Amino acid sequence: MNIYKETTDYTAEDIFTVMGTNFESGYHLCQLAHPLLKTSGYGSIVFISSTAGVKALPYVPIYAASKGALNQVTKNLACEWAKDNIRENVVAPGTTKTSLMDSAMQYPGVEKLVEGIVSQTPIRRMAEPKEVSSLVAFLCLPASSYITGQLICVDGGFTVNGFTQTPN
């Protein structure tokens, strides 16, 4: 979730809400799931982040911070919980056709931002949800048993191509 405001307009409550929803909820769920995953002898946790947690983008400073926190905690948990046969990875989608994207497009400037991102994405389109979910499913399968602590961007090449300008 995100609250679209100018950076100077964020309140402590806004920050608490975004960080709580996007970071703390998943972190606490991992804490609760750890004993069950450890007992199973094979666990896989896949967080959903965002390319906003990898590349600086306008209009999303707190959202980006919450996703950056997921990216880092994934690496830490991968190291800490490897002894328990629990793997952690994080998938960072780029612009994706979801209901969250639909609602975001109603805010001033967001449509122009998305157009700018898509124009600088080598594949030149938004992702379909199935293009993200198939990677998540793979990371939960035994076929990915040697993959842990990884941040994988599903972004049509956006993070390797970069974002060079703020849309007007």
Side-chain angles (χ1 to χ4, degrees):
M1 71 95 48
N2 190 23
I3 298 172
Y4 294 92
K5 291 184 176 180
E6 292 290 326
T7 299
T8 54
D9 294 335
Y10 276 97
T11 65
E13 183 177 331
D14 293 335
I15 296 167
F16 178 80
T17 299
V18 173
M19 291 301 288
T21 302
N22 294 350
F23 172 69
E24 289 183 46
S25 59
Y27 181 78
H28 291 306
L29 186 59
C30 284
Q31 289 177 308
L32 294 170
H34 180 266
L36 299 171
L37 294 171
K38 182 178 178 178
T39 300
S40 78
Y42 177 84
S44 180
I45 296 168
V46 181
F47 287 114
I48 303 298
S49 180
S50 168
T51 54
V54 178
K55 300 279 296 174
L57 297 172
Y59 306 116
V60 294
I62 306 308
Y63 175 82
S66 70
K67 297 304 187 170
L70 279 177
N71 298 347
Q72 186 58 46
V73 82
T74 296
K75 297 172 189 178
N76 290 82
L77 292 177
C79 293
E80 184 179 336
W81 292 357
K83 68 185 181 324
D84 299 324
N85 280 337
I86 302 171
R87 298 178 305 109
E88 291 78 19
N89 290 289
V90 61
V91 173
T95 53
T96 305
K97 294 179 186 177
T98 64
S99 58
L100 180 63
M101 179 59 69
D102 291 341
S103 63
M105 294 293 256
Q106 299 171 19
Y107 289 91
V110 174
E111 185 173 351
K112 191 85 165 157
L113 173 65
V114 171
E115 287 172 7
I117 292 169
V118 170
S119 75
Q120 293 182 38
T121 299
I123 292 182
R124 295 280 193 261
R125 64 176 175 80
M126 282 196 255
E128 296 291 336
K130 67 183 178 185
E131 293 172 309
V132 177
S133 62
S134 59
L135 175 59
V136 173
F138 171 72
L139 291 171
C140 294
L141 294 172
S144 68
S145 63
Y146 202 63
I147 302 171
T148 192
Q150 298 304 301
L151 164 66
I152 304 171
C153 294
V154 182
D155 64 355
F158 173 70
T159 52
V160 294
N161 200 36
F163 187 74
T164 57
Q165 64 185 1
T166 303
N168 296 328

